[in-house]
Amino acid sequence: MAIIEGVADAQMLDARGALVDLLREAAQLEHCLLDAYLYTACSLKSTPQELEFAGGSSNRRRAVQFERLRAWKQSILDVAHEEMLHLHYVECMLRALGEAPSFALPP
C-alpha cells in the first residue's frame, strides 16, 4: 500500500509542477497582451488639437474623428482592464499553490 501511495504522491507532484509551469506561461501571455493593449491605447491621439490639420489643410471633421478616437481608446482600455484581471487571477492561483508571483516576460 505504501508503494501505491508513493506513486500517487509522485504523480501529484508532477501534476502540480505542470500546473505551476502552465500558470507561469499564462501570466507571461497576459502580461504581454496587457502591454500591447496599453501601448496601443496610449498611441492614439488624445486631444482635438492633434487632429486640427490633416494633409496640410484644416480638418473640418476633427470633432467627429476625436469622438471616434475617444471611443476606440476607451474600448481598448476596457480590454486592457480585463487583461489586468486575468493576470490578477493567474497570480492568485500561483499564490494559492504557495508559489511566488510571476511577472516575467517571455524570453
Side-chain angles (χ1 to χ4, degrees):
M1 191 68 165
I3 294 174
I4 294 174
E5 288 176 6
V7 170
D9 289 343
Q11 288 175 343
M12 282 293 269
L13 285 176
D14 287 344
R16 184 183 182 285
L19 177 60
V20 168
D21 289 342
L22 289 171
L23 285 171
R24 285 191 176 130
E25 188 175 335
Q28 289 177 352
L29 175 65
E30 295 297 341
H31 194 176
C32 286
L33 289 171
L34 173 60
D35 289 347
Y37 286 122
L38 289 175
Y39 182 84
T40 302
C42 292
S43 297
L44 294 175
K45 295 180 180 181
S46 298
T47 64
Q49 290 77 21
E50 292 176 291
L51 301 167
E52 190 170 349
F53 296 102
S57 62
S58 181
N59 184 5
R60 295 185 305 176
R61 297 182 44 88
R62 72 178 175 189
V64 172
Q65 290 172 345
F66 172 70
E67 288 303 317
R68 285 192 179 163
L69 277 171
R70 200 170 64 85
W72 292 344
K73 188 171 195 169
Q74 186 58 52
S75 295
I76 294 168
L77 288 174
D78 289 344
V79 174
H81 182 260
E82 288 294 320
E83 294 302 330
M84 286 182 208
L85 288 174
H86 297 163
L87 180 59
H88 170 74
Y89 297 148
V90 169
E91 298 300 338
C92 285
M93 286 187 266
L94 281 170
R95 292 298 300 139
L97 291 170
E99 297 291 323
S102 174
F103 292 102
L105 292 173

